[in-house]
PDB file of all heavy atoms in Angstrom:
ATOM      1  N   ILE A  56      20.901  22.977  12.010  1.00 98.00           N
ATOM      2  CA  ILE A  56      19.542  22.882  11.464  1.00 98.00           C
ATOM      3  C   ILE A  56      18.658  22.186  12.491  1.00 98.00           C
ATOM      4  O   ILE A  56      18.992  21.105  12.972  1.00 98.00           O
ATOM      5  CB  ILE A  56      19.550  22.124  10.127  1.00 98.00           C
ATOM      6  CG1 ILE A  56      20.388  22.920   9.103  1.00 98.00           C
ATOM      7  CG2 ILE A  56      18.126  21.896   9.619  1.00 98.00           C
ATOM      8  CD1 ILE A  56      20.640  22.198   7.808  1.00 98.00           C
ATOM      9  N   PRO A  57      17.524  22.799  12.842  1.00 98.00           N
ATOM     10  CA  PRO A  57      16.648  22.231  13.878  1.00 98.00           C
ATOM     11  C   PRO A  57      16.123  20.842  13.516  1.00 98.00           C
ATOM     12  O   PRO A  57      15.883  20.526  12.347  1.00 98.00           O
ATOM     13  CB  PRO A  57      15.501  23.235  13.960  1.00 98.00           C
ATOM     14  CG  PRO A  57      16.040  24.500  13.401  1.00 98.00           C
ATOM     15  CD  PRO A  57      17.031  24.088  12.353  1.00 98.00           C
ATOM     16  N   GLU A  58      15.917  20.042  14.531  1.00 98.00           N
ATOM     17  CA  GLU A  58      15.442  18.671  14.369  1.00 98.00           C
ATOM     18  C   GLU A  58      14.091  18.624  13.645  1.00 98.00           C
ATOM     19  O   GLU A  58      13.848  17.705  12.852  1.00 98.00           O
ATOM     20  CB  GLU A  58      15.331  17.984  15.731  1.00 98.00           C
ATOM     21  CG  GLU A  58      15.005  16.514  15.651  1.00 98.00           C
ATOM     22  CD  GLU A  58      16.030  15.678  14.886  1.00 98.00           C
ATOM     23  OE1 GLU A  58      17.228  16.044  14.853  1.00 98.00           O
ATOM     24  OE2 GLU A  58      15.629  14.655  14.297  1.00 98.00           O
ATOM     25  N   ASN A  59      13.213  19.594  13.895  1.00 98.00           N
ATOM     26  CA  ASN A  59      11.899  19.570  13.235  1.00 98.00           C
ATOM     27  C   ASN A  59      12.001  19.676  11.714  1.00 98.00           C
ATOM     28  O   ASN A  59      11.174  19.119  10.999  1.00 98.00           O
ATOM     29  CB  ASN A  59      10.983  20.659  13.796  1.00 98.00           C
ATOM     30  CG  ASN A  59      10.305  20.222  15.068  1.00 98.00           C
ATOM     31  OD1 ASN A  59      10.195  19.033  15.361  1.00 98.00           O
ATOM     32  ND2 ASN A  59       9.830  21.182  15.847  1.00 98.00           N
ATOM     33  N   ALA A  60      13.005  20.376  11.210  1.00 98.00           N
ATOM     34  CA  ALA A  60      13.206  20.433   9.751  1.00 98.00           C
ATOM     35  C   ALA A  60      13.619  19.054   9.237  1.00 98.00           C
ATOM     36  O   ALA A  60      13.134  18.602   8.195  1.00 98.00           O
ATOM     37  CB  ALA A  60      14.248  21.480   9.399  1.00 98.00           C
ATOM     38  N   HIS A  61      14.485  18.379   9.970  1.00 98.00           N
ATOM     39  CA  HIS A  61      14.895  17.019   9.586  1.00 98.00           C
ATOM     40  C   HIS A  61      13.701  16.066   9.626  1.00 98.00           C
ATOM     41  O   HIS A  61      13.542  15.230   8.725  1.00 98.00           O
ATOM     42  CB  HIS A  61      15.996  16.509  10.526  1.00 98.00           C
ATOM     43  CG  HIS A  61      17.320  17.150  10.311  1.00 98.00           C
ATOM     44  ND1 HIS A  61      18.173  16.784   9.301  1.00 98.00           N
ATOM     45  CD2 HIS A  61      17.940  18.151  10.988  1.00 98.00           C
ATOM     46  CE1 HIS A  61      19.269  17.517   9.357  1.00 98.00           C
ATOM     47  NE2 HIS A  61      19.159  18.360  10.370  1.00 98.00           N
ATOM     48  N   LYS A  62      12.871  16.170  10.653  1.00 98.00           N
ATOM     49  CA  LYS A  62      11.709  15.279  10.794  1.00 98.00           C
ATOM     50  C   LYS A  62      10.729  15.466   9.642  1.00 98.00           C
ATOM     51  O   LYS A  62      10.206  14.494   9.088  1.00 98.00           O
ATOM     52  CB  LYS A  62      10.991  15.532  12.123  1.00 98.00           C
ATOM     53  CG  LYS A  62      11.719  15.014  13.323  1.00 98.00           C
ATOM     54  CD  LYS A  62      10.940  15.337  14.598  1.00 98.00           C
ATOM     55  CE  LYS A  62      11.664  14.865  15.838  1.00 98.00           C
ATOM     56  NZ  LYS A  62      10.958  15.260  17.066  1.00 98.00           N
ATOM     57  N   PHE A  63      10.459  16.716   9.277  1.00 98.00           N
ATOM     58  CA  PHE A  63       9.515  16.967   8.186  1.00 98.00           C
ATOM     59  C   PHE A  63      10.078  16.446   6.865  1.00 98.00           C
ATOM     60  O   PHE A  63       9.371  15.804   6.085  1.00 98.00           O
ATOM     61  CB  PHE A  63       9.172  18.453   8.085  1.00 98.00           C
ATOM     62  CG  PHE A  63       7.823  18.708   7.485  1.00 98.00           C
ATOM     63  CD1 PHE A  63       6.733  18.950   8.292  1.00 98.00           C
ATOM     64  CD2 PHE A  63       7.623  18.673   6.108  1.00 98.00           C
ATOM     65  CE1 PHE A  63       5.471  19.166   7.744  1.00 98.00           C
ATOM     66  CE2 PHE A  63       6.375  18.882   5.553  1.00 98.00           C
ATOM     67  CZ  PHE A  63       5.294  19.130   6.377  1.00 98.00           C
ATOM     68  N   LEU A  64      11.350  16.706   6.638  1.00 98.00           N
ATOM     69  CA  LEU A  64      11.976  16.228   5.403  1.00 98.00           C
ATOM     70  C   LEU A  64      11.964  14.705   5.347  1.00 98.00           C
ATOM     71  O   LEU A  64      11.725  14.117   4.284  1.00 98.00           O
ATOM     72  CB  LEU A  64      13.398  16.766   5.279  1.00 98.00           C
ATOM     73  CG  LEU A  64      14.098  16.476   3.957  1.00 98.00           C
ATOM     74  CD1 LEU A  64      13.329  17.050   2.772  1.00 98.00           C
ATOM     75  CD2 LEU A  64      15.507  17.030   3.994  1.00 98.00           C
ATOM     76  N   GLU A  65      12.170  14.056   6.467  1.00 98.00           N
ATOM     77  CA  GLU A  65      12.120  12.594   6.500  1.00 98.00           C
ATOM     78  C   GLU A  65      10.719  12.094   6.158  1.00 98.00           C
ATOM     79  O   GLU A  65      10.566  11.071   5.473  1.00 98.00           O
ATOM     80  CB  GLU A  65      12.564  12.063   7.861  1.00 98.00           C
ATOM     81  CG  GLU A  65      12.670  10.559   7.920  1.00 98.00           C
ATOM     82  CD  GLU A  65      13.506   9.922   6.806  1.00 98.00           C
ATOM     83  OE1 GLU A  65      14.578  10.466   6.440  1.00 98.00           O
ATOM     84  OE2 GLU A  65      13.092   8.869   6.275  1.00 98.00           O
ATOM     85  N   ALA A  66       9.689  12.798   6.610  1.00 98.00           N
ATOM     86  CA  ALA A  66       8.311  12.420   6.266  1.00 98.00           C
ATOM     87  C   ALA A  66       8.098  12.510   4.755  1.00 98.00           C
ATOM     88  O   ALA A  66       7.441  11.646   4.160  1.00 98.00           O
ATOM     89  CB  ALA A  66       7.310  13.304   7.013  1.00 98.00           C
ATOM     90  N   ILE A  67       8.651  13.526   4.133  1.00 98.00           N
ATOM     91  CA  ILE A  67       8.557  13.648   2.675  1.00 98.00           C
ATOM     92  C   ILE A  67       9.265  12.481   2.006  1.00 98.00           C
ATOM     93  O   ILE A  67       8.711  11.805   1.132  1.00 98.00           O
ATOM     94  CB  ILE A  67       9.145  14.994   2.188  1.00 98.00           C
ATOM     95  CG1 ILE A  67       8.241  16.155   2.631  1.00 98.00           C
ATOM     96  CG2 ILE A  67       9.330  14.990   0.671  1.00 98.00           C
ATOM     97  CD1 ILE A  67       8.835  17.525   2.393  1.00 98.00           C
ATOM     98  N   LYS A  68      10.490  12.217   2.426  1.00 98.00           N
ATOM     99  CA  LYS A  68      11.293  11.151   1.812  1.00 98.00           C
ATOM    100  C   LYS A  68      10.647   9.782   1.967  1.00 98.00           C
ATOM    101  O   LYS A  68      10.761   8.938   1.078  1.00 98.00           O
ATOM    102  CB  LYS A  68      12.687  11.123   2.429  1.00 98.00           C
ATOM    103  CG  LYS A  68      13.563  12.267   2.000  1.00 98.00           C
ATOM    104  CD  LYS A  68      14.923  12.129   2.662  1.00 98.00           C
ATOM    105  CE  LYS A  68      15.843  13.266   2.300  1.00 98.00           C
ATOM    106  NZ  LYS A  68      17.155  13.108   2.943  1.00 98.00           N
ATOM    107  N   SER A  69       9.967   9.552   3.088  1.00 98.00           N
ATOM    108  CA  SER A  69       9.393   8.226   3.335  1.00 98.00           C
ATOM    109  C   SER A  69       8.005   8.060   2.716  1.00 98.00           C
ATOM    110  O   SER A  69       7.432   6.984   2.784  1.00 98.00           O
ATOM    111  CB  SER A  69       9.348   7.933   4.840  1.00 98.00           C
ATOM    112  OG  SER A  69       8.466   8.816   5.487  1.00 98.00           O
ATOM    113  N   SER A  70       7.490   9.095   2.088  1.00 98.00           N
ATOM    114  CA  SER A  70       6.174   9.000   1.446  1.00 98.00           C
ATOM    115  C   SER A  70       6.323   8.554  -0.003  1.00 98.00           C
ATOM    116  O   SER A  70       7.409   8.591  -0.574  1.00 98.00           O
ATOM    117  CB  SER A  70       5.452  10.352   1.500  1.00 98.00           C
ATOM    118  OG  SER A  70       6.029  11.269   0.583  1.00 98.00           O
ATOM    119  N   ASP A  71       5.189   8.145  -0.569  1.00 98.00           N
ATOM    120  CA  ASP A  71       5.145   7.797  -1.987  1.00 98.00           C
ATOM    121  C   ASP A  71       4.538   8.914  -2.824  1.00 98.00           C
ATOM    122  O   ASP A  71       4.593   8.873  -4.052  1.00 98.00           O
ATOM    123  CB  ASP A  71       4.326   6.517  -2.182  1.00 98.00           C
ATOM    124  CG  ASP A  71       4.978   5.324  -1.517  1.00 98.00           C
ATOM    125  OD1 ASP A  71       6.139   5.019  -1.850  1.00 98.00           O
ATOM    126  OD2 ASP A  71       4.336   4.703  -0.651  1.00 98.00           O
ATOM    127  N   GLY A  72       3.932   9.886  -2.171  1.00 98.00           N
ATOM    128  CA  GLY A  72       3.304  11.005  -2.860  1.00 98.00           C
ATOM    129  C   GLY A  72       2.882  12.062  -1.858  1.00 98.00           C
ATOM    130  O   GLY A  72       2.782  11.791  -0.655  1.00 98.00           O
ATOM    131  N   ILE A  73       2.624  13.267  -2.366  1.00 98.00           N
ATOM    132  CA  ILE A  73       2.327  14.420  -1.513  1.00 98.00           C
ATOM    133  C   ILE A  73       1.077  15.131  -2.004  1.00 98.00           C
ATOM    134  O   ILE A  73       0.968  15.428  -3.201  1.00 98.00           O
ATOM    135  CB  ILE A  73       3.502  15.419  -1.522  1.00 98.00           C
ATOM    136  CG1 ILE A  73       4.796  14.746  -1.036  1.00 98.00           C
ATOM    137  CG2 ILE A  73       3.173  16.664  -0.696  1.00 98.00           C
ATOM    138  CD1 ILE A  73       6.058  15.531  -1.358  1.00 98.00           C
ATOM    139  N   ILE A  74       0.167  15.405  -1.078  1.00 98.00           N
ATOM    140  CA  ILE A  74      -0.940  16.319  -1.341  1.00 98.00           C
ATOM    141  C   ILE A  74      -0.689  17.541  -0.468  1.00 98.00           C
ATOM    142  O   ILE A  74      -0.634  17.440   0.759  1.00 98.00           O
ATOM    143  CB  ILE A  74      -2.307  15.690  -1.009  1.00 98.00           C
ATOM    144  CG1 ILE A  74      -2.603  14.528  -1.964  1.00 98.00           C
ATOM    145  CG2 ILE A  74      -3.412  16.752  -1.092  1.00 98.00           C
ATOM    146  CD1 ILE A  74      -3.907  13.786  -1.672  1.00 98.00           C
ATOM    147  N   LEU A  75      -0.511  18.668  -1.107  1.00 98.00           N
ATOM    148  CA  LEU A  75      -0.200  19.922  -0.418  1.00 98.00           C
ATOM    149  C   LEU A  75      -1.145  21.005  -0.900  1.00 98.00           C
ATOM    150  O   LEU A  75      -1.279  21.214  -2.107  1.00 98.00           O
ATOM    151  CB  LEU A  75       1.258  20.323  -0.700  1.00 98.00           C
ATOM    152  CG  LEU A  75       1.696  21.738  -0.329  1.00 98.00           C
ATOM    153  CD1 LEU A  75       1.482  22.035   1.149  1.00 98.00           C
ATOM    154  CD2 LEU A  75       3.157  21.945  -0.720  1.00 98.00           C
ATOM    155  N   SER A  76      -1.793  21.678   0.044  1.00 98.00           N
ATOM    156  CA  SER A  76      -2.628  22.828  -0.283  1.00 98.00           C
ATOM    157  C   SER A  76      -2.021  24.057   0.388  1.00 98.00           C
ATOM    158  O   SER A  76      -1.901  24.122   1.615  1.00 98.00           O
ATOM    159  CB  SER A  76      -4.070  22.612   0.186  1.00 98.00           C
ATOM    160  OG  SER A  76      -4.901  23.649  -0.306  1.00 98.00           O
ATOM    161  N   LEU A  77      -1.629  25.023  -0.418  1.00 98.00           N
ATOM    162  CA  LEU A  77      -0.928  26.204   0.063  1.00 98.00           C
ATOM    163  C   LEU A  77      -1.878  27.343   0.421  1.00 98.00           C
ATOM    164  O   LEU A  77      -2.759  27.687  -0.363  1.00 98.00           O
ATOM    165  CB  LEU A  77       0.043  26.705  -1.008  1.00 98.00           C
ATOM    166  CG  LEU A  77       1.213  25.790  -1.318  1.00 98.00           C
ATOM    167  CD1 LEU A  77       1.916  26.249  -2.594  1.00 98.00           C
ATOM    168  CD2 LEU A  77       2.179  25.752  -0.145  1.00 98.00           C
ATOM    169  N   ALA A  78      -1.641  27.916   1.583  1.00 97.00           N
ATOM    170  CA  ALA A  78      -2.335  29.157   1.942  1.00 97.00           C
ATOM    171  C   ALA A  78      -1.658  30.302   1.199  1.00 97.00           C
ATOM    172  O   ALA A  78      -0.449  30.262   0.953  1.00 97.00           O
ATOM    173  CB  ALA A  78      -2.253  29.382   3.448  1.00 97.00           C
ATOM    174  N   GLU A  79      -2.437  31.292   0.842  1.00 95.00           N
ATOM    175  CA  GLU A  79      -1.886  32.455   0.148  1.00 95.00           C
ATOM    176  C   GLU A  79      -1.962  33.656   1.080  1.00 95.00           C
ATOM    177  O   GLU A  79      -3.045  34.042   1.511  1.00 95.00           O
ATOM    178  CB  GLU A  79      -2.670  32.730  -1.141  1.00 95.00           C
ATOM    179  CG  GLU A  79      -2.113  33.872  -1.945  1.00 95.00           C
ATOM    180  CD  GLU A  79      -2.842  34.054  -3.264  1.00 95.00           C
ATOM    181  OE1 GLU A  79      -2.499  33.343  -4.227  1.00 95.00           O
ATOM    182  OE2 GLU A  79      -3.763  34.894  -3.317  1.00 95.00           O
ATOM    183  N   HIS A  80      -0.804  34.215   1.398  1.00 94.00           N
ATOM    184  CA  HIS A  80      -0.724  35.425   2.221  1.00 94.00           C
ATOM    185  C   HIS A  80      -0.094  36.527   1.378  1.00 94.00           C
ATOM    186  O   HIS A  80       1.071  36.400   0.978  1.00 94.00           O
ATOM    187  CB  HIS A  80       0.126  35.180   3.469  1.00 94.00           C
ATOM    188  CG  HIS A  80      -0.522  34.260   4.455  1.00 94.00           C
ATOM    189  ND1 HIS A  80      -0.019  34.057   5.698  1.00 94.00           N
ATOM    190  CD2 HIS A  80      -1.645  33.502   4.385  1.00 94.00           C
ATOM    191  CE1 HIS A  80      -0.781  33.201   6.358  1.00 94.00           C
ATOM    192  NE2 HIS A  80      -1.780  32.845   5.568  1.00 94.00           N
TER     193      HIS A  80
END
Side-chain angles (χ1 to χ4, degrees):
I56 297 172
E58 187 60 28
N59 277 340
H61 287 280
K62 287 179 182 176
F63 207 98
L64 187 59
E65 186 52 41
I67 291 171
K68 287 181 181 180
S69 65
S70 74
D71 296 302
I73 301 165
I74 294 177
L75 167 58
S76 188
L77 293 168
E79 183 176 277
H80 291 189

